[in-house]
Amino acid sequence: MLRTGGRALSQVLRRAVASAPPPSHGGHSRVLAAAASVASSPSRFDAVPWLQQRAGFSIPAGGEADSHDDFKPVQKQGSAIPSAYEAIEKDVKENPVMVYMKGVPDAPQCGFSAMVVRILDEYEVNYKTRNVLADPELRTAIKDYSKWPTIPQVYVNGEFVGGSDILISMHRSGELETLLKDVKK
């Protein structure tokens, strides 16, 4: 669908048709002619000021939207994702057990994160956590880093183990005890 000035052409036409004079006065043909000129006009609505008025918006001369600076798009200076990747690499290498979770161990913000904390506390292992809710870039980066779509994520000795479902399964089978035996407090 052709988009003009941030609004779908069909919305602009609907408003213009609804407010145009009846067909006996040539209103609909004027609307269609205006729409054709809008679609082909490099400056979009400059050629049809009555359509701007009927549609409820205007574009001042010069083609820039009449918007306050607070609402203009902002370009970020560089990407912080590489720094998030570096932080993840450092965390995973420096901490025998690293957990990326929602919330903190004393106040988990989801049941899955709470379950991971309870299981790790059961084994009395030392672990470090990062709250992904406090840093949206970290939340995105950890999913990309592990190629795993969900949180929490557990790393043991630099290796990605999985989320709460995998940790629960390993806990039940006894595999987790074997994996964590060298990481006791």
Side-chain angles (χ1 to χ4, degrees), residues 14-126:
R14 222 177 290 130
R15 286 185 184 167
V17 169
S19 62
S24 62
H25 294 97
H28 291 297
S29 61
R30 249 184 34 203
V31 169
L32 294 175
S37 71
V38 165
S40 62
S41 172
S43 59
R44 295 189 177 137
F45 293 109
D46 292 343
V48 278
W50 66 270
L51 187 58
Q52 292 178 15
Q53 180 184 12
R54 298 283 190 216
F57 66 94
S58 65
I59 298 175
E64 292 186 30
D66 54 348
S67 178
H68 190 274
D69 287 342
D70 289 347
F71 301 104
K72 289 184 180 177
V74 176
Q75 292 290 337
K76 289 186 177 182
Q77 298 295 329
S79 175
I81 296 295
S83 65
Y85 279 119
E86 291 167 5
I88 293 167
E89 282 282 334
K90 183 178 177 191
D91 286 343
V92 169
K93 287 178 183 174
E94 291 179 359
N95 299 289
V97 180
M98 184 68 205
V99 180
Y100 292 90
M101 61 182 286
K102 294 179 181 176
V104 295
D106 291 337
Q109 296 294 305
C110 84
F112 299 111
S113 293
M115 183 59 69
V116 165
V117 167
R118 286 180 61 197
I119 290 172
L120 291 175
D121 286 347
E122 180 73 25
Y123 287 96
E124 298 179 348
V125 294
N126 228 353

